[in-house]
Amino acid sequence: MMNLDSTTMVLVLALGNLALCSLLFFFDYGAARAPALGSWGLSRQVQAAAWVLLALGGARVLPEPLALPAGWALLVGGVALETGALWEAAGKPRWRRAMVPLAVISVAVFLVCYLIDDIGLRNLAALLLLGGFYLLGAAALAGGWRGATLLQRVLAVATALLALVVAARGVLVLVTPDGWRWLSHELLRQLSSAALYLLMLVGGFGWLLLARERQQAELARLETVDTVSDVPNRRGFFAALAPWMALARRPGQATALVLLDLDGFKRVNDGYGHPAGDVVLRHVAGLCKRQLRDSDGLARLVGGEFALLLPRTGLEEAALVAERMRAAIESTPVKLDRAMISMTASFGVTTIRADDSSAILLQRAGEAMRAAKAAGRNRVTQAG
């Protein structure tokens, strides 16, 4: 049976989880939510129901033999759902699916332990299972550590440390029934209760902050990415070009710029519709990417016009790259639902010169590209 302090702490946890559920309801209200956010919201609701049952059982509002096992079982299942949502958000849906059978097995193990010993073994099983699932959640947050944000790293470390505190109470209760030195059972209970409360705050507000951080990062990415062809847009291209313009003022290997424009692209939009034009743009972008090195860059400037940035590449080498792309575009028609569209492209090739500005560089490459069109299209022309 819980004492008054334990009941109060459980009530605080119940009210805290209910408050988080309320905040989640108004978070991005009316917007389409990612599956991971939906799973996480469900996990918070399950945990809130679990703490309410535990509080009512501790206060004898509901019979303890009914409320306590049901509450602890729901709590283990809710934390397992939260862990699965973290793995789903980390891009590992297989781990999320694994949490469902693992949660069922864990609840069954807890109920067996409860039937054997409704105090000592129950606490051991519940706290070890909760600590284990929280550690798995910390592992999901720590995935891709090098590329993770500072917020994600802090949440991973904090979750892991608090999970260890929760699990440690269960172990010490079994290993040292009379406490260990200055660690009495009462102190352990208070520490684990505080850890569970902090896990509620870290898991709740941490998730909301991570969701907002990811949204801001995606918005920043969309500012420099063309959503049709999934390559950098004009702004992204100039951001990538700037450092190579500065390096061109120093002695060293040349950097080449290639402009290509799809011949008759307006005809595709007018004759087949803009969705067909989008398919053509994605098709051409894919063909060009296959001809590039990891250090090269491809961007869509406007309409059917693309720019290629080729670091450490001379004029002749860049012309060979452009010729391979020209041949690939010409020999690979675009498949639509009811048609096959053959495309060609005209290329203008130049290199960055020490006295160039971005405007002069693009003007020179554009003049070469227009010369290729004037000469009959579907060809590569080097700037003079």
Side-chain angles (χ1 to χ4, degrees), residues 243-264:
W244 294 105
M245 295 291 295
L247 286 175
R249 296 181 175 87
R250 304 176 185 177
Q253 289 183 295
T255 293
L257 174 69
V258 180
L259 289 187
L260 74 92
D261 188 59
L262 296 177
D263 300 324

Side-chain angles (χ1 to χ4, degrees), residues 271-288:
Y272 297 94
H274 288 280
D278 293 346
V279 173
V280 170
L281 291 173
R282 286 191 290 269
H283 174 81
V284 171
L287 289 177
C288 292

Side-chain angles (χ1 to χ4, degrees), residues 50-368:
W51 287 115
V52 169
L53 278 176
L54 292 174
L56 294 177
R60 295 184 177 180
V61 176
L62 293 177
E64 282 190 356
L66 173 64
L68 296 188
W72 282 110
L74 275 178
L75 185 59
V76 171
V79 174
L81 283 175
E82 181 180 353
T83 301
L86 287 172
W87 281 107
E88 187 171 12
K92 301 292 180 64
R94 291 184 179 180
W95 281 85
R96 177 192 60 79
R97 290 191 292 267
M99 289 301 132
V100 176
L102 190 58
V104 173
I105 294 171
S106 300
V107 170
V109 169
F110 167 77
L111 293 176
V112 170
C113 292
Y114 183 87
L115 292 174
I116 296 173
D117 180 2
D118 64 350
I119 298 179
L121 198 55
R122 176 197 74 192
N123 289 333
L124 172 66
L127 294 172
L128 284 180
L129 290 171
L130 290 175
F133 279 118
Y134 278 124
L135 283 174
L136 286 174
L141 288 169
W145 182 265
R146 291 184 178 180
T149 63
L150 180 60
L151 173 62
Q152 188 174 340
R153 293 181 182 184
V154 169
L155 290 175
V157 173
T159 302
L161 292 176
L162 293 171
L164 290 174
V165 173
V166 172
R169 183 195 172 196
V171 173
L172 290 176
V173 166
L174 180 67
V175 175
T176 59
D178 298 325
W180 182 69
R181 296 184 180 179
W182 52 272
L183 276 177
S184 64
H185 286 305
E186 179 60 22
L187 179 58
L188 284 173
R189 183 191 64 77
Q190 293 177 0
L191 288 175
S192 63
S193 297
L196 287 170
Y197 182 77
L198 291 174
L199 281 167
M200 177 192 68
L201 295 178
V202 169
F205 292 105
W207 178 281
L208 297 177
L209 289 173
L210 278 177
R212 182 58 65 189
E213 187 177 65
R214 292 190 182 105
Q215 288 178 350
Q216 291 174 344
E218 180 62 14
L219 289 174
R221 187 189 73 86
L222 292 176
E223 289 181 353
T224 58
V225 173
D226 175 57
T227 56
V228 174
S229 56
D230 196 30
V231 298
N233 57 18
R234 192 177 186 89
R235 173 182 284 187
F237 167 73
F238 280 107
L241 177 64
W244 294 105
M245 295 291 295
L247 286 175
R249 296 181 175 87
R250 304 176 185 177
Q253 289 183 295
T255 293
L257 174 69
V258 180
L259 289 187
L260 74 92
D261 188 59
L262 296 177
D263 300 324
F265 180 66
K266 186 176 183 299
R267 168 182 55 85
V268 176
N269 282 333
D270 293 342
Y272 297 94
H274 288 280
D278 293 346
V279 173
V280 170
L281 291 173
R282 286 191 290 269
H283 174 81
V284 171
L287 289 177
C288 292
K289 286 178 182 178
R290 287 196 283 272
Q291 304 293 333
L292 298 178
R293 304 165 297 184
D294 292 339
S295 59
D296 298 334
L298 171 68
R300 180 189 172 203
L301 299 184
V302 63
E305 185 175 320
F306 291 82
L308 306 167
L309 186 62
L310 308 176
R312 297 178 292 276
T313 305
L315 190 64
E316 297 297 330
E317 295 170 304
L320 290 175
V321 174
E323 177 59 30
R324 289 201 302 269
M325 290 183 180
R326 186 205 63 76
I329 294 170
E330 181 185 26
S331 62
T332 312
V334 184
K335 296 181 181 179
L336 300 178
D337 292 339
R338 299 181 180 179
M340 295 280 288
I341 302 178
S342 296
M343 296 297 302
T344 61
S346 301
F347 293 76
V349 183
T350 189
T351 54
I352 303 176
R353 301 170 186 173
D355 57 346
D356 274 344
S357 65
S358 298
I360 292 175
L361 174 66
L362 261 70
Q363 180 181 357
R364 188 167 62 248
E367 289 173 351

Side-chain angles (χ1 to χ4, degrees), residues 17-18 21 24 38 40-50:
N17 277 277
L18 288 173
C21 291
L24 179 62
W40 181 79
L42 177 61
S43 76
R44 303 312 305 191
Q45 294 171 15
V46 172
Q47 291 178 58

